[in-house]
Amino acid sequence: MRRYTKADLEALVSCQLENLNAMHDLLRIMKTQNELLENANKKLKDEVTDFKVHYYKTGKSGRPKD
């Protein structure tokens, strides 16, 4: 069994802290990307709904239905 010195353990903890910070940064980026995707999906859904309303009100020819 290998014995670790205090310096070895400090280096290991430091490396773990760096990894945790990197994961935190990635999670923050993913959260921002998720919010952007949700906003884009909402806008797209609204545009599709508006298109359907316009399409069905005017008919396929583009002229208003009687």
Side-chain angles (χ1 to χ4, degrees), residues 2 4 7-8 10 12-13 15-16 23 29 35-36 39-40 42 44 46 53-54 62 66:
R2 182 171 192 256
Y4 292 95
D8 291 337
E10 287 173 346
L12 182 62
V13 169
C15 184
Q16 288 176 330
M23 285 193 292
I29 290 168
E35 290 170 355
L36 291 170
N39 290 339
K42 184 182 180 313
L44 182 59
D46 292 343
V53 167
H54 177 73
D66 294 328

Side-chain angles (χ1 to χ4, degrees), residues 17-50:
L17 181 60
E18 287 178 24
N19 288 336
L20 284 172
N21 286 331
M23 285 193 292
H24 177 265
D25 292 343
L26 289 173
L27 286 171
R28 188 177 48 208
I29 290 168
M30 289 171 62
K31 181 180 177 186
T32 302
Q33 289 176 335
N34 190 47
E35 290 170 355
L36 291 170
L37 283 171
E38 287 175 351
N39 290 339
N41 283 337
K42 184 182 180 313
K43 287 180 183 178
L44 182 59
K45 180 183 174 188
D46 292 343
E47 288 179 16
V48 168
T49 301
D50 291 345

